[in-house]
């Protein structure tokens, strides 16, 4: 009597299988892109809806998907199936470890030298300031989402609280930026605690819905409370920051006159660049330090399993509230900087799209990874500008890139998170604590 043989047939990997997979993907692309690219609708001069066909562009996209599917399948067969050992040469492994070790210092040095390299290029400096602003927002939201595991879709509310706090205090009372900056963070943290109390028993999708509603409530309050916030008209004439009381203008009391150098409008842009860089590095440093403290370990325990966290005796109430307050404080700092950089704020700057963009930065970078969030902010904010010339195809290309990243790197660009607590060397155990009688 012979034992039944196991089915060990391997999936087909020949040319027919490749063509079949590519053909199916091309059909799916044809269905998806036919209404998105093949037919374009516009409002005519008489107000009626007109449409135009772009079958040439549609055929090009389908052909790209067909050819790309073949290339991807060939690479997948060359690399090997999932779960098998990849034959990576030792030289490449050592090179990747070297790059991973020195990537963060190299990025920091390059960031410090950006105003030196691009001093006369205002566009690049403004883009760098925008990227650093979203890096700071990503690191702030990373405390709530990445470390504590609390899905927050209303993070833009704290961004708005910080911006309006500085704008109203500076315009109505004449307080300087350096006085209003900590106040904006404190007020945003206060609203973070107010948000934390109603959502203590919520998790998952329910928590996301409540935080989304909180963000919309703040935006609607800003729009309707016209006597305080100016409503849809916003707050104009927000004072610019000074260098410890010295304005960065062309006056006799300005910084350029005191230093005896020729005045340039780029001086203020460079000052704003280093200001947001200092705020972002402060956010990074505080976050790293908090991760090593008991509260940081409590956040990570809450993220992994809330039931086990309660079983360990951790107070989940204070853990959630501190996570919301800390993340909101950094969002308030970023909002105050945004207000002083723009000189004008309005409710249109604090929509749900901002919360979704910051959350996408955190998820794509790798939840809990500081370097991953910075790289994701650089890729997403810089990617929008890189594909600006594609006009209508920009969002399509960018969305496809995000989907591919989430397929190949489901845990983010840098999904590995080093443990906050680990033993550096073996520790001997007393013989009284082991059954064998030796440590």
């Amino acid at each position: 009597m012979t034992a039944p043989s196991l089915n060990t047939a391997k999936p087909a990997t020949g040319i027919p299988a490749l063509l079949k997979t590519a053909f199916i993907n091309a059909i799916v692309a044809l269905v998806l892109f036919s209404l998105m690219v093949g037919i374009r609708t516009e409002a005519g001069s008489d107000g009626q809806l007109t449409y135009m066909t772009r079958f040439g562009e549609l055929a090009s996209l389908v052909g790209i998907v067909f050819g790309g599917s073949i290339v991807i399948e060939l690479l997948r067969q060359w690399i090997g199936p999932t779960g098998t050992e990849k034959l990576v040469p030792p030289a490449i492994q050592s090179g990747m470890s070297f790059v991973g070790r020195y990537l963060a210092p190299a990025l920091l040095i390059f960031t410090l030298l950006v105003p030196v390299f691009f001093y006369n290029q205002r566009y690049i400096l403004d883009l760098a300031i925008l990227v650093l602003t979203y890096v700071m927002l990503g690191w702030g939201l990373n405390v709530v989402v990445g470390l504590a595991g609390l899905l927050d879709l209303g993070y833009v509310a704290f961004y708005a609280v910080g911006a309006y706090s500085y704008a109203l205090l500076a315009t109505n009372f004449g307080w300087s930026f350096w006085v209003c900056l900590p106040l904006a963070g404190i007020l945003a943290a206060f609203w973070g605690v107010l948000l934390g109390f109603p959502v203590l028993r919520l998790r998952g999708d329910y928590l996301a819905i409540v935080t989304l509603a909180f963000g919309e409530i703040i935006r609607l309050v800003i729009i309707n409370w016209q006597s305080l916030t100016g409503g849809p008209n916003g707050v104009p004439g927000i004072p610019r920051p000074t260098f410890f009381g010295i304005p960065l203008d062309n006056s006799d009391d300005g910084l350029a006159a005191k230093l005896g150098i020729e005045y340039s409008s780029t001086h203020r842009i460079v000052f704003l660049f280093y200001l947001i860089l200092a705020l972002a590095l402060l956010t990074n440093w505080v976050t790293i330090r908090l991760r090593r403290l008991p509260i940081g370990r409590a956040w990570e325990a809450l993220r992994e399993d809330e039931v086990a966290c309660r079983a360990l005796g951790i107070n989940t109430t204070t853990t959630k509230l501190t996570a919301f307050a800390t993340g909101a404080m950094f969002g308030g700092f970023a909002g105050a900087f945004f207000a002083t950089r723009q000189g004008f704020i309005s409710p249109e700057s604090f929509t749900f799209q901002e919360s979704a963009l910051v959350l996408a930065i955190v998820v794509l970078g790798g939840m809990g990874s500081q370097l991953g969030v910075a790289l994701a902010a650089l890729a997403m904010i810089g990617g929008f500008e890189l594909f600006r010339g594609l006009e209508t195809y920009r969002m399509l290309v960018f969305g496809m890139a995000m989907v591919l990243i989430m397929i190949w790197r489901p845990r983010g660009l840098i999904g590995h998170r080093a443990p906050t607590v680990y033993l550096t060397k073996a520790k001997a155990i007393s013989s009284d604590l082991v059954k064998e009688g030796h440590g």
Side-chain angles (χ1 to χ4, degrees):
M1 183 176 181
T2 60
S5 60
L6 298 176
N7 185 13
T8 59
K10 297 182 179 180
T13 57
I15 295 179
L18 291 179
L19 295 177
K20 179 181 178 182
T21 303
F23 181 75
I24 294 175
N25 293 337
I27 292 298
V28 174
L30 177 62
V31 174
L32 292 178
F33 296 151
S34 59
L35 296 179
M36 298 173 61
V37 178
I39 300 176
R40 180 180 179 181
T41 58
E42 292 182 350
S45 57
D46 55 353
Q48 295 182 355
L49 190 65
T50 61
Y51 71 94
M52 61 184 68
T53 59
R54 297 182 293 182
F55 293 141
E57 291 86 343
L58 178 61
S60 300
L61 287 176
V62 174
I64 292 174
V65 171
F66 183 82
S69 300
I70 296 177
V71 174
I72 291 174
E73 289 297 325
L74 290 175
L75 290 176
R76 185 176 299 172
Q77 294 178 15
W78 175 65
I79 295 175
T82 304
T84 60
E85 183 179 359
K86 307 296 187 299
L87 301 178
V88 180
I92 298 180
Q93 291 183 354
S94 60
M96 293 175 62
S97 62
F98 177 82
V99 171
R101 187 181 303 112
Y102 294 102
L103 180 59
L107 285 176
L108 178 58
I109 294 174
F110 176 77
T111 305
L112 290 172
L113 296 178
V114 163
V116 179
F117 295 148
F118 308 102
Y119 181 80
N120 294 322
Q121 301 185 35
R122 173 71 179 270
Y123 171 75
I124 295 181
L125 291 178
D126 287 335
L127 180 60
I129 292 174
L130 183 63
V131 170
L132 287 176
T133 303
Y134 278 97
V135 168
M136 184 176 178
L137 288 172
W139 280 342
L141 184 59
N142 197 29
V143 174
V144 183
V145 179
L147 298 183
L150 303 172
L151 184 56
D152 188 358
L153 295 180
Y155 192 69
V156 71
F158 311 123
Y159 189 40
V161 168
Y164 273 88
S165 297
Y166 168 68
L168 295 177
L169 291 175
T171 54
N172 294 328
F173 300 99
W175 293 357
S176 67
F177 172 78
W178 303 105
V179 175
C180 297
L181 180 64
L183 293 178
I186 293 173
L187 291 174
F190 172 73
W191 281 99
V193 174
L194 291 183
L195 171 63
F197 274 110
V199 301
L200 289 176
R201 296 182 178 273
L202 301 178
R203 65 182 70 177
D205 299 337
Y206 301 100
L207 175 62
I209 293 173
V210 172
T211 54
L212 173 62
F214 180 78
E216 287 300 306
I217 289 173
I218 294 296
R219 188 179 67 87
L220 292 176
V221 169
I222 292 175
I223 293 176
N224 292 283
W225 199 351
Q226 298 187 17
S227 60
L228 179 66
T229 64
N233 298 325
V235 181
I238 302 175
R240 303 291 187 179
T242 60
F243 184 74
F244 299 101
I246 303 176
L248 284 84
D249 52 18
N250 199 17
S251 63
D252 295 335
D253 297 330
L255 182 63
K258 290 184 178 296
L259 295 178
I261 59 177
E262 184 180 357
Y263 171 77
S264 174
S265 59
T266 310
H267 294 165
R268 183 178 62 86
I269 305 301
V270 173
F271 174 72
L272 290 174
F273 175 85
Y274 283 114
L275 176 59
I276 186 58
L277 177 61
L279 291 175
L281 292 178
L282 176 64
T283 304
N284 182 41
W285 180 78
V286 172
T287 304
I288 293 175
R289 296 291 297 176
L290 288 177
R291 286 188 62 181
R292 299 174 182 175
L293 295 177
I295 184 61
R297 290 178 236 147
W299 289 341
E300 294 181 337
L302 180 67
R303 176 193 64 201
E304 299 300 331
D305 194 327
E306 183 174 351
V307 177
C309 183
R310 292 177 181 271
L312 290 174
I314 298 176
N315 190 337
T316 57
T317 299
T318 57
T319 302
K320 291 182 179 181
L321 292 180
T322 51
F324 276 114
T326 305
M329 179 182 65
F330 295 133
F333 290 156
F337 173 81
F338 174 78
T340 191
R341 173 182 175 246
Q342 296 294 115
F344 169 79
I345 56 174
S346 63
E348 286 75 14
S349 301
F350 309 102
T351 60
F352 169 71
Q353 184 179 357
E354 297 296 320
S355 293
L357 181 58
V358 179
L359 181 62
I361 290 174
V362 174
V363 174
L364 290 178
M367 292 192 297
S369 173
Q370 299 292 97
L371 179 59
V373 170
L375 293 176
L378 178 62
M380 293 192 66
I381 306 303
F384 275 114
E385 299 300 322
L386 182 63
F387 294 108
R388 182 173 292 275
L390 296 179
E391 296 180 355
T392 57
Y393 297 100
R394 180 178 61 166
M395 295 303 298
L396 181 62
V397 173
F398 196 71
M400 291 175 61
M402 292 178 61
V403 170
L404 292 177
I405 290 177
M406 296 309 297
I407 290 175
W408 286 329
R409 302 288 297 178
R411 295 189 61 183
L413 294 176
I414 302 180
H416 173 71
R417 295 189 297 266
T420 55
V421 180
Y422 54 90
L423 297 177
T424 57
K425 60 181 179 179
K427 183 178 181 181
I429 303 175
S430 174
S431 58
D432 298 334
L433 301 178
V434 293
K435 185 176 181 181
E436 289 81 1
H438 58 82

